[in-house]
Amino acid sequence: MYQLLNLINNLENVLGKTVGVESISLRISNNPKFDFQINNLVKLQNHKHIKDIESSFSEIIDNEALIKSFEITDTYFINLEIDIEKFSNSFDKIKKYIKVRHPKTVLIDYGGPNIGKPLHVGHLRSLNIGKSLYRIYSLAGHSVISDIHMGDWGMPIAQIITYIEEKQIDIENINIDDLEKIYPEASKLYLKDDEFKDLAQANNKRLNENNSKILKKWKKLKNISIKSIKETLDALNHRFDLWMGESDVNHLIPEMIQKLESEGKISLDDGAYISNLVSEPKILITKSDGSYLYLTTDLATVLNRLKQNKIDKTLYIVDKRQNLHFEQLIKSLNYFDFGDEEYHHIAFGTINDSNGNPYKTREGDAKKLINLFKETSLQIKKINSDLDDGTNKLLANTVLTFSDLKTNRMTDYKFDLNKFTNTSGKTGIYVQYAFVRAKKLLNGSSINTSKINLNIADLDESDLSLIRGMIKFEYYFNLALENNEPHHLADYLYELSNLFNSMYQNQNILENKKETVKFNKLKISEFFISYSALLMECLGIEPVEKM
RNA sequence: GCUCUCGUAGCUCAAAUGGAUAGAGCAACAGACUUCUAAUCUGUAGGUUAUAGGUUCGAGUCCUAUCGAGAGCGCCA
């Protein structure tokens, strides 16, 4: 809460002198008459100096210009009412207020798609959460780099190449549809045919060793796959700064292994390298034939990134089932002394169908993302067939993003297209509609709102509710940033949209006889538009111009 | 078998570091459109937070046990 930072610092000083270092955090007040609350004193209610602390707090809060009124209850909950007049002047400065004091370089790793497999429903959350965190960190002033981190290496691709070789498929004329059919066939064969398995293992080793003949085939397949992935990403409005893959760090691995061994950090066990860090289960670094694993390339990827950029913090946006892998990765990065940078596994739950089972097609495959997009787009056409394609696309993506981000990322949720495209309720369409409504109102008014100042005395209940809703922006923004949880902002965007709709519905604004009332409402609508746009930016949603 | 996560209104989900009376949306019910506005708004009802104990000024949140669900577990990524 940048605007109340002085207040917070002063209160923290009091605590520091009396009961020890403790940070003050504001929360939304339980009491609807107030905006924020401070709970730090509640647990001190039996402290021998509580009366002194209370009076120091009172004095400090009393002197804070942004606080209009406050109360300290008999159990020492502190409630604060913000002075709307002083705070409202700052609405248009919100972008400055949310900047952090110490910007960092943050890398977002999407734990990307594999070669040979189309983008499917399983990739949706990684894309949405990653994009949202990218925007949130950027708005907070960090410098952010996104890396799709393609799964372009290892056994899956070796299986595909082996399958193509064995079935004598013409690799020159292969297309994406062929490739997508080959992948499941190859992995099926790998599981049941030992001879095929040996051939694939051998091919994988050749890949690791940079065998030029197999690299040529690999390159061909990778290009086909990337082209298809880019088409889907384009439909869904996603872009990446880096298109690195696991293959890009292959050359760093032999040296890395050698160094770790000479440092006594890893040792051979049944021919495979395992970490000497005591851990259960043991951490496997390479396979017994010397070829590399998921963890091997992820470790080398970190080395590669640190070599190329100064990175303070890395976020891995990967589903929660891979928890053990990232636990092992982060443990290993520490144990191997790769640096003191931060690494976080931003885990998320799975998307299920309405019965709670993994979201699949009738054939039992994961549903393709591009098909999900098309179905959503079609559903929106049913609601309004007059929309141009551009608007339809934005709305379809709004639905796929908002419905995903409104749930806490760790929760598995049920995908229900009918529900998510509902025009009323907590949906993407609803928040877009409120935005369009506000814009239409201002455009129809022919009044220059930028020159209007609020007339506080003439604000009615619905105006005040919306203004006091907007005061919470910094709170929710921080919550999302600190915890890497975009859903707080999705929920908040709905709350503001709902408050706007209430105000709007309440009375006819443009025909209001009293000019100050009319101007107030137009000014508040202008604020709402900028807040709504900013929240959509945080979520990775583009506002539409008409609906 | 071991490890981890989860169980909140009929349904789908919220509730940061333990804080006051556990909140939204959908569905249900009752209302509001010759309008800048219905792709909307207003109201009502809906809960022993799986169960039983414990920790403390205070527990959906922490601990223990039971029941139920899901995931992961050295040569896939």
Side-chain angles (χ1 to χ4, degrees):
Chain A
M1 297 297 291
Y2 184 92
Q3 296 195 66
L4 292 170
L5 208 57
N6 270 335
L7 174 70
I8 291 169
N9 285 339
N10 290 336
L11 296 180
E12 282 176 352
N13 281 340
V14 172
L15 290 183
K17 280 180 205 152
T18 49
V19 292
V21 177
E22 192 167 339
S23 66
I24 301 265
S25 62
L26 296 184
R27 290 160 173 264
I28 304 297
S29 181
N30 275 23
N31 186 334
K33 283 162 65 185
F34 295 93
D35 299 298
F36 298 108
Q37 68 181 52
I38 296 172
N39 298 341
N40 296 61
L41 297 195
V42 179
K43 62 185 161 201
L44 299 175
Q45 56 187 277
N46 294 323
H47 192 277
K48 54 184 173 180
H49 297 308
I50 182 64
K51 286 292 168 195
D52 298 335
I53 299 171
E54 182 189 358
S55 63
S56 303
F57 267 50
S58 280
E59 197 185 327
I60 291 167
I61 297 169
D62 219 15
N63 284 326
E64 170 57 58
L66 287 171
I67 304 298
K68 188 180 175 194
S69 73
F70 71 99
E71 65 166 21
I72 301 182
T73 68
D74 45 4
T75 46
Y76 296 96
F77 286 96
I78 303 173
N79 286 306
L80 308 174
E81 184 193 1
I82 297 291
D83 187 318
I84 286 166
E85 197 159 11
K86 295 191 173 107
F87 211 85
S88 67
N89 293 326
S90 321
F91 279 155
D92 48 355
K93 295 180 192 147
I94 192 75
K95 276 193 167 184
K96 279 183 207 151
Y97 290 142
I98 56 177
K99 296 275 184 280
V100 292
R101 274 166 291 173
H102 307 291
K104 293 178 176 173
T105 303
V106 180
L107 187 132
I108 298 184
D109 181 321
Y110 282 68
N114 287 358
I115 288 186
K117 266 205 237 175
L119 284 175
H120 54 82
V121 174
H123 295 110
L124 184 63
R125 300 198 83 176
S126 160
L127 291 169
N128 284 330
I129 294 165
K131 186 178 184 182
S132 176
L133 292 180
Y134 188 101
R135 302 266 182 98
I136 290 169
Y137 274 84
S138 299
L139 284 166
H142 296 294
S143 130
V144 193
I145 304 166
S146 63
D147 181 5
I148 190 169
H149 198 216
M150 292 271 295
D152 64 350
W153 209 239
M155 283 314 299
I157 187 73
Q159 288 169 18
I160 293 172
I161 292 173
T162 310
Y163 189 91
I164 287 171
E165 287 174 347
E166 286 304 292
K167 303 280 174 185
Q168 301 185 344
I169 296 167
D170 178 12
I171 196 166
E172 289 310 313
N173 293 312
I174 215 165
N175 63 34
I176 185 65
D177 294 329
D178 302 329
L179 196 53
E180 285 172 8
K181 276 179 208 133
I182 289 171
Y183 185 91
E185 289 298 317
S187 64
K188 227 184 282 168
L189 206 55
Y190 182 82
L191 287 176
K192 67 176 190 198
D193 185 335
D194 285 346
E195 197 181 326
F196 182 83
K197 187 171 178 174
D198 290 342
L199 290 168
Q201 299 269 13
N203 269 338
N204 184 44
K205 197 144 191 284
R206 275 187 213 114
L207 262 179
N208 286 179
E209 290 160 356
N210 289 313
N211 176 299
S212 65
K213 210 169 141 192
I214 202 158
L215 274 182
K216 201 178 153 197
K217 291 177 184 171
W218 166 79
K219 185 101 192 157
K220 171 88 189 163
L221 298 175
K222 182 174 175 178
N223 285 338
I224 296 170
S225 220
I226 285 182
K227 188 164 169 268
S228 150
I229 287 167
K230 280 193 170 162
E231 276 168 17
T232 303
L233 289 177
D234 205 42
L236 298 175
N237 283 336
H238 285 277
R239 269 154 207 75
F240 294 95
D241 299 323
L242 299 176
W243 277 75
M244 303 293 277
E246 296 174 335
S247 63
D248 290 297
V249 298
N250 187 55
H251 63 287
L252 295 171
I253 293 176
E255 195 189 327
M256 178 180 85
I257 298 290
Q258 207 177 22
K259 188 156 177 282
L260 290 175
E261 192 185 20
S262 69
E263 288 170 351
K265 301 280 189 187
I266 59 174
S267 49
L268 284 171
D269 186 298
D270 283 342
Y273 277 108
I274 59 162
S275 172
N276 290 339
L277 178 71
V278 178
S279 176
E280 185 56 39
K282 288 181 192 168
I283 301 174
L284 190 64
I285 306 291
T286 67
K287 296 207 257 185
S288 50
D289 69 353
S291 58
Y292 312 142
L293 289 160
Y294 192 15
L295 190 58
T296 332
T297 50
D298 264 4
L299 286 167
T301 299
V302 169
L303 288 180
N304 194 36
R305 283 174 181 156
L306 292 177
K307 224 165 66 176
Q308 293 177 344
N309 295 290
K310 183 196 165 295
I311 289 161
D312 305 302
K313 184 169 178 175
T314 302
L315 306 179
Y316 293 94
I317 322 289
V318 181
D319 84 86
K320 66 183 179 188
R321 287 173 301 187
Q322 297 192 34
N323 213 321
L324 182 60
H325 167 74
F326 287 101
E327 201 182 292
Q328 293 189 334
L329 174 66
I330 293 167
K331 267 188 201 167
S332 300
L333 290 168
N334 278 321
Y335 178 65
F336 296 160
D337 290 329
F338 277 22
D340 54 2
E341 293 79 13
E342 279 179 63
Y343 299 90
H344 301 277
H345 177 206
I346 308 303
F348 54 83
T350 53
I351 302 180
N352 298 327
D353 62 21
S354 52
N355 295 321
N357 299 315
Y359 205 74
K360 294 201 166 140
T361 63
R362 254 169 265 146
E363 290 72 36
D365 309 317
K367 187 188 273 274
K368 282 193 198 182
L369 219 37
I370 192 71
N371 292 341
L372 190 68
F373 170 80
K374 284 176 183 163
E375 283 168 23
T376 309
S377 164
L378 202 66
Q379 186 77 13
I380 287 166
K381 267 203 181 102
K382 277 188 206 159
I383 299 167
N384 185 348
S385 56
D386 297 333
L387 293 176
D388 60 278
D389 289 351
T391 305
N392 178 286
K393 178 180 166 180
L394 288 181
L395 284 179
N397 279 321
T398 301
V399 167
L400 292 178
T401 307
F402 190 89
S403 59
D404 192 26
L405 292 181
K406 80 174 169 151
T407 306
N408 183 323
R409 61 178 160 78
M410 287 298 277
T411 309
D412 299 340
Y413 75 89
K414 294 179 183 171
F415 191 92
D416 186 332
L417 189 56
N418 283 325
K419 206 178 257 180
F420 293 166
T421 51
N422 211 329
T423 54
S424 63
K426 202 181 287 184
T427 68
I429 293 181
Y430 178 92
V431 299
Q432 289 277 21
Y433 181 71
F435 180 83
V436 168
R437 255 183 156 182
K439 277 218 136 179
K440 198 174 168 196
L441 173 68
L442 286 199
N443 290 341
S445 75
S446 74
I447 290 162
N448 185 354
T449 44
S450 65
K451 293 194 176 132
I452 295 174
N453 286 318
L454 287 181
N455 183 320
I456 305 293
D458 280 339
L459 293 171
D460 66 25
E461 273 306 307
S462 66
D463 303 331
L464 284 168
S465 296
L466 180 51
I467 288 174
R468 291 177 65 191
M470 291 194 278
I471 285 173
K472 299 178 195 165
F473 186 93
E474 278 187 74
Y475 171 82
Y476 285 114
F477 184 84
N478 264 335
L479 204 53
L481 180 67
E482 299 274 313
N483 300 296
N484 301 302
E485 290 176 343
H487 74 278
H488 299 290
L489 294 177
D491 213 55
Y492 179 52
L493 174 57
Y494 172 78
E495 185 186 321
L496 288 189
S497 303
N498 186 230
L499 289 171
F500 170 77
N501 270 335
S502 294
M503 183 204 70
Y504 186 78
Q505 193 81 13
N506 201 320
Q507 54 174 267
N508 188 310
I509 295 170
L510 293 182
E511 286 178 13
N512 198 303
K513 296 276 190 308
K514 196 166 178 185
E515 198 165 65
T516 49
V517 171
K518 179 164 123 184
F519 282 9
N520 271 346
K521 287 178 180 294
L522 289 172
K523 187 67 185 176
I524 297 168
S525 300
E526 186 199 57
F527 285 147
F528 168 71
I529 289 170
S530 52
Y531 271 68
S532 175
L534 191 54
L535 283 166
M536 287 195 213
E537 187 179 342
C538 288
L539 296 171
I541 292 171
E542 317 297 324
V544 299
E545 292 300 318
K546 56 174 189 288
M547 281 177 73

